[in-house]
């Protein structure tokens, strides 16, 4: 585990983007695992900047997103498909057919999950999997449970997670209660895991995830078992780390 601490969000975003950019520079056909939410937005802005400056091309890159809400169409303004287009895909030269996001409106959700894992296997191992961290220790939408699914699956979102996501929806909209998410086993197959965490409100769960016992009650703690885990935190999020 390699923990990098930064005294500004800008420096953290730049460092995370440089890791991704350098990976694609070395391997133009890299497979990237992408995340959504507030944490990666600054990183994606840096990647767009690198592309505009001619430092990197995404034309041969393949991407797989961690998750998608069940019940939202890809063009819904709060879908993760829409998020990725707005924050990254529409601003670089990535080929749409090489981008993969679970389909939340699939008639057979279990079949969609199975096929998603098959597409990941066919693409080869994910080179870098970008991850955020939920307040309850979830990664992707793998919520604390007695048992965790290793493969892509449908999950019922914890009330805490729904409340955290409610700020993105208007009062007239109902926050989705289910999502399709990569399983922890799928995540751990990536060659490199890059966990990015920002803010003092995440300090306690960062400490628990990285220094506490490995337990399914804190899904992120399983990242400790990965041989190539890079953690990027700002000073606030990393304030309780030894």
């Amino acid at each position: 585990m390699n923990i990098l601490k930064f005294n500004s969000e800008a420096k953290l975003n730049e460092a995370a983007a440089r890791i991704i950019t350098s990976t694609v520079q070395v391997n133009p056909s890299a497979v990237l695992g992408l995340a959504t939410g507030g944490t990666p937005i600054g990183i994606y802005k840096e990647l767009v900047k690198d592309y505009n400056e001619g430092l990197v091309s995404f034309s041969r890159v393949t991407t797989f997103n961690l998750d998608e809400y069940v019940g939202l169409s890809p063009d819904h303004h709060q879908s993760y498909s829409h998020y990725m287009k707005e924050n990254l895909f529409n601003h670089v030269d990535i080929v749409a057919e090489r981008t993969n996001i679970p389909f939340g409106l699939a008639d057979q959700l279990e079949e969609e999950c199975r096929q998603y894992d098959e597409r990941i296997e066919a693409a080869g191992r994910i080179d870098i999997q970008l991850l955020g961290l939920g307040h309850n220790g979830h990664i992707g939408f793998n919520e604390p449970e007695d048992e965790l699914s290793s493969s892509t699956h449908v999950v019922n979102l914890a009330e805490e997670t729904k409340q955290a996501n409610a700020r993105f929806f208007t009062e007239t909209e109902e926050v989705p209660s289910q999502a399709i998410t990569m399983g922890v086993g799928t995540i751990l197959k990536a060659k490199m895991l890059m966990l990015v965490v920002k803010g003092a409100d995440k300090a306690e769960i960062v400490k628990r995830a990285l220094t506490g016992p490995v337990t399914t009650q804190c899904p992120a703690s399983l990242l400790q078992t990965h041989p190539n885990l890079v953690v990027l935190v700002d000073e606030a999020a990393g304030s309780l780390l030894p």
Side-chain angles (χ1 to χ4, degrees):
M1 184 189 311
N2 187 10
I3 300 176
L4 307 174
K5 190 181 295 186
F6 299 87
N7 59 16
S8 76
E9 182 175 354
K11 290 180 180 178
L12 188 159
N13 291 334
E14 290 173 3
R18 294 304 90 76
I19 293 173
I20 297 172
T21 292
S22 62
T23 297
V24 177
Q25 288 171 333
V26 172
N27 177 15
S29 298
V31 181
L32 304 179
L34 302 179
T36 52
T39 299
I41 289 178
I43 299 171
Y44 293 148
K45 287 182 179 178
E46 287 295 322
L47 291 177
V48 172
K49 180 180 176 182
D50 285 352
Y51 167 73
N52 287 333
E53 293 178 354
L55 299 178
V56 66
S57 170
F58 296 91
S59 62
R60 291 163 55 189
V61 164
T62 300
T63 66
F64 290 92
N65 265 72
L66 280 169
D67 39 41
E68 178 61 283
Y69 288 120
V70 170
L72 296 190
S73 66
D75 58 356
H76 189 283
H77 70 285
Q78 289 300 340
S79 74
Y80 290 147
S81 178
H82 179 80
Y83 169 104
M84 291 307 306
K85 291 177 182 177
E86 288 293 302
N87 289 291
L88 182 62
F89 295 161
N90 285 349
H91 308 289
V92 297
D93 61 343
I94 198 162
V95 178
E97 288 75 18
R98 291 183 177 271
T99 64
N100 296 272
I101 301 174
F103 183 48
L105 291 180
D107 292 332
Q108 301 293 328
L109 292 175
E110 297 302 328
E111 179 63 15
E112 171 65 15
C113 294
R114 186 188 66 79
Q115 291 183 11
Y116 200 69
D117 276 336
E118 285 186 352
R119 295 204 297 274
I120 294 174
E121 288 291 328
R125 291 177 67 190
I126 291 174
D127 290 287
I128 298 180
Q129 178 62 62
L130 177 61
L131 298 167
L133 178 63
H135 288 92
N136 62 359
H138 75 239
I139 48 174
F141 275 129
N142 294 283
E143 304 281 9
E145 299 283 357
D146 292 335
E147 296 180 354
L148 295 176
S149 297
S150 63
S151 58
T152 300
H153 60 286
V154 178
V155 63
N156 296 319
L157 300 182
E159 190 60 34
E160 183 178 4
T161 300
K162 291 173 64 177
Q163 291 175 3
N165 293 339
R167 68 187 188 277
F168 299 116
F169 291 80
T170 66
E171 294 181 0
T172 59
E173 292 176 313
E174 183 178 352
V175 182
S177 59
Q178 289 186 313
I180 297 174
T181 186
M182 282 189 198
V184 174
T186 303
I187 291 170
L188 291 175
K189 289 179 182 178
K191 296 176 183 178
M192 175 193 290
L193 301 180
M194 186 164 65
L195 178 66
V196 180
V197 194
K198 305 171 182 176
D201 58 320
K202 297 286 183 72
E204 185 62 43
I205 194 60
V206 166
K207 178 183 178 182
R208 182 181 169 198
L210 300 181
T211 67
V214 176
T215 170
T216 60
Q217 294 301 322
C218 180
S221 68
L222 276 76
L223 302 181
Q224 295 179 40
T225 67
H226 197 278
N228 191 11
L229 170 63
V230 178
V231 182
L232 295 88
V233 294
D234 60 18
E235 290 184 340
S239 62
L240 299 182
L241 292 175

